[in-house]
Amino acid sequence: MAACFILSPLSPYTKYSEHELVALLLRQNEQAFSYLYDNYSPALFGIINQIIPEKELATDVMQDVFINIWRKIASYDAAKGRLFTWMLNIARNAAIDKIRSRPYQDSLKNQPLPENVNTNTPNSVVNADINDVGLKKLINKLKEEYRVVIDLSYFQGFTHEEISKLLGIPLGTVKTRIRSALMQLRTLI
Amino acid sequence: MNIQEYISSGIVESYVLGLASPEERAEFEQMCGQYPELVEARNNFELALELHARTSTARPSQEVKEKIWSAIQQTSSTPKIVTMEPTASRSTGLRWVAAASVILFIVAGYFAFHFYNENAQLKNSNKNLETKINSMDSVLGTMADHDKLMSDPNMTVVNMVGMQKGSPSSASVYWDSTSANVYLIVKNMPKLPSDKQYQLWALINNKPVDLGLFDAPKDNKIMLRMKNTEKADAFAITVENKGNTGGPNLNQLQSMGKAKL
């Protein structure tokens, strides 16, 4: 119930605790879906859109994410974490799957490639609106070399090995940097 | 490593953000079962993360919401999601069973067809073998008869040689002087016009005695049972009109052999 108190000031619409919401979703309650969408779609769309800049495609992915949440709610285990964390990971994974998919990769080839993530790219200027909100805003507060590894791993889904190759730094350094980045994040949050 | 070090190692953030490896996740979950302070640290980070994520200013439309709801309505005609997981896995199992039984059915069908065919083939070749054995049997019987005749000490063998120039007709008469049985083994007798027949004669005191008419056998070396005679000085084969009842046409003497040396 503590979660309920903390959440309450965040959203004026909050009527349910996570526990209650999950119970209602399990019963396939339409009101529960409505509540879920109204309360979580901005945050979930936010994370998806930070990974997929194209709004229309991001919206498509978000639809799939909500359908998946609805279908998989029985596999949510409250002992392993909060409902929001679970949904956030579903959204992030779906978005990363999309940008790493063949059709998406092919569509990128027809456009000028965004410049290296190391630099402040025109892309990031264009997407200033999504970079200044949500998790991206938090990540952007990190030290540059940390921001880069978190961006690559969290927002683009690269493995440590892939990041090592991309940045031309040893695998051990990648691991250390990500660890340090996460420790810094802890102090920022 | 004590629990505080573990908590501040970045593992909490790594776990919550979904960046931890499966091994790290398993370890973290196990540690959560032991250390309430780890759960508390995780919960704090989750809440802070949620707070940040919810600063998103995006406002997905009501239209999208309706679209999702109708998609959900369409796909979930089953009564309860809760029961979906087990039934889903059970139906996956059933699907496998169904697939397996279809494969089994096809395989069984194939074998049934294959064995049916094979059986038909075997029956056929069995029949062929039977026919072959029967004909072999008769050949063997003939040969055994030959052998019996030839090895009979009472048997007199008279080789008849061709009397006509250029016609290699030859035959042997097996004559049992005690039982008076006469057998003719044709070695090589040319085929005759359809109105002609061969006739075997026994010459007794220079008088020809009819021992029977016969056609040129299809297969040479065939043994023919002829009329009995107790006496014979020689044997002769002539060509006669079919069904001849008169005497021998000695102009047409084909083969001849003396019975006694």
Side-chain angles (χ1 to χ4, degrees):
Chain A
M1 285 310 107
C4 207
F5 288 119
I6 294 163
L7 268 181
S8 295
L10 267 179
S11 166
Y13 313 107
T14 304
K15 284 180 282 182
Y16 304 124
S17 69
E18 277 199 355
H19 183 76
E20 288 164 340
L21 179 58
V22 170
L24 286 170
L25 286 172
L26 282 168
R27 269 182 260 144
Q28 303 206 316
N29 180 291
E30 185 177 356
Q31 212 187 325
F33 168 75
S34 184
Y35 178 85
L36 184 81
Y37 185 86
D38 292 344
N39 279 273
Y40 295 100
S41 65
L44 296 183
F45 183 80
I47 182 74
I48 294 165
N49 196 202
Q50 276 160 8
I51 295 167
I52 305 171
E54 296 87 349
K55 274 211 154 60
E56 215 171 298
L57 193 59
T59 306
D60 287 348
V61 171
M62 185 189 69
Q63 288 186 39
D64 292 343
V65 165
F66 270 102
I67 292 169
N68 265 330
I69 290 168
W70 181 263
R71 285 188 187 153
K72 292 180 177 172
I73 190 68
S75 69
Y76 163 67
D77 182 357
K80 290 182 181 176
R82 293 179 55 76
L83 177 68
F84 180 78
T85 305
W86 183 73
M87 295 192 297
L88 187 70
N89 281 323
I90 289 177
R92 174 182 168 257
N93 290 336
I96 284 169
D97 283 351
K98 180 61 80 179
I99 60 161
R100 307 208 88 185
S101 73
R102 194 78 215 205
Y104 187 83
Q105 290 294 320
D106 287 348
S107 77
L108 283 186
K109 283 174 192 157
N110 300 327
Q111 294 167 10
L113 284 170
E115 284 171 44
N116 199 301
V117 280
N118 278 309
T119 59
N120 273 325
T121 65
N123 198 37
S124 67
V125 176
V126 170
N127 293 319
D129 58 328
I130 53 172
N131 277 334
D132 285 348
V133 293
L135 296 184
K136 211 92 186 210
K137 189 180 175 188
L138 180 67
I139 303 300
N140 284 342
K141 288 184 195 163
L142 290 170
K143 199 173 143 187
E144 179 60 13
E145 63 175 26
Y146 295 165
R147 187 192 66 76
V148 170
V149 288
I150 293 296
D151 187 77
L152 288 172
S153 64
Y154 188 74
F155 289 104
Q156 300 193 47
F158 289 109
T159 64
H160 292 177
E161 288 77 9
E162 287 166 334
I163 294 168
S164 161
K165 277 179 197 159
L166 275 169
L167 299 181
I169 56 174
L171 182 62
T173 310
V174 173
K175 288 182 193 285
T176 317
R177 268 191 208 172
I178 288 177
R179 213 172 108 125
S180 309
L182 292 170
M183 286 165 80
Q184 196 191 13
L185 193 64
R186 199 178 153 70
T187 63
L188 292 173
I189 208 159
Chain B
M1 189 195 279
N2 68 40
I3 193 64
Q4 285 311 319
E5 276 175 43
Y6 184 68
I7 288 170
S8 56
S9 71
I11 185 67
V12 175
E13 295 74 22
S14 178
Y15 177 86
V16 170
L17 291 172
L19 295 174
S21 69
E23 298 78 43
E24 288 171 333
R25 297 188 65 81
E27 187 193 36
F28 185 85
E29 283 164 13
Q30 190 234 320
M31 296 283 271
C32 277
Q34 290 172 44
Y35 300 98
E37 55 267 57
L38 184 59
V39 178
E40 196 192 335
R42 185 197 71 197
N43 206 38
N44 287 340
F45 182 72
E46 286 189 84
L47 283 168
L49 184 70
E50 186 169 339
L51 195 145
H52 277 278
R54 288 184 147 205
T55 61
S56 172
T57 51
R59 283 280 162 251
S61 69
Q62 285 297 304
E63 195 190 311
V64 173
K65 180 182 177 181
E66 280 156 24
K67 228 168 128 185
I68 297 170
W69 180 243
S70 72
I72 284 171
Q73 293 291 92
Q74 272 175 16
T75 54
S76 63
S77 46
T78 39
K80 272 197 189 269
I81 283 274
V82 203
T83 59
M84 269 179 80
E85 288 280 319
T87 40
S89 63
R90 207 182 302 143
S91 78
T92 313
L94 275 177
R95 230 175 290 142
W96 278 108
V97 169
S101 53
V102 166
I103 291 166
L104 208 66
F105 180 74
I106 292 166
V107 169
Y110 167 76
F111 278 111
F113 177 74
H114 178 77
F115 288 136
Y116 173 79
N117 262 353
E118 204 171 58
N119 193 30
Q121 274 174 15
L122 283 174
K123 267 186 186 165
N124 214 3
S125 59
N126 214 1
K127 215 171 170 184
N128 287 344
L129 278 176
E130 218 173 300
T131 324
K132 258 185 198 164
I133 285 170
N134 283 342
S135 79
M136 297 277 266
D137 254 355
S138 73
V139 169
L140 208 66
T142 318
M143 283 168 79
D145 288 347
H146 280 206
D147 193 53
K148 207 171 145 193
L149 286 176
M150 288 183 215
S151 57
D152 190 332
N154 293 323
M155 195 64 73
T156 305
V157 182
V158 180
N159 285 316
M160 294 189 291
V161 288
M163 301 305 281
Q164 300 282 327
K165 265 203 169 161
S167 118
S169 56
S170 64
S172 299
V173 170
Y174 284 77
W175 178 40
D176 185 344
S177 47
T178 50
S179 70
N181 288 337
V182 174
Y183 303 90
L184 183 71
I185 291 175
V186 176
K187 285 173 187 161
N188 186 11
M189 301 295 281
K191 215 181 163 189
L192 295 173
S194 57
D195 59 332
K196 302 283 183 189
Q197 275 187 309
Y198 287 111
Q199 193 165 12
L200 179 68
W201 305 90
L203 295 171
I204 306 161
N205 299 325
N206 285 325
K207 259 182 76 185
V209 175
D210 168 44
L211 292 183
L213 288 154
F214 64 94
D215 294 308
K218 278 177 204 154
D219 296 310
N220 282 329
K221 293 192 176 177
I222 204 154
M223 187 174 69
L224 301 167
R225 176 81 193 268
M226 306 308 285
K227 290 178 187 168
N228 287 5
T229 180
E230 282 171 9
K231 291 168 87 178
D233 300 320
F235 293 94
I237 295 170
T238 57
V239 174
E240 306 292 342
N241 288 329
K242 202 165 185 165
N244 176 45
T245 51
N249 178 3
L250 291 173
N251 290 336
Q252 289 294 312
L253 186 69
Q254 296 296 306
S255 316
M256 201 172 155
K258 280 187 173 164
K260 283 172 186 154
L261 292 169

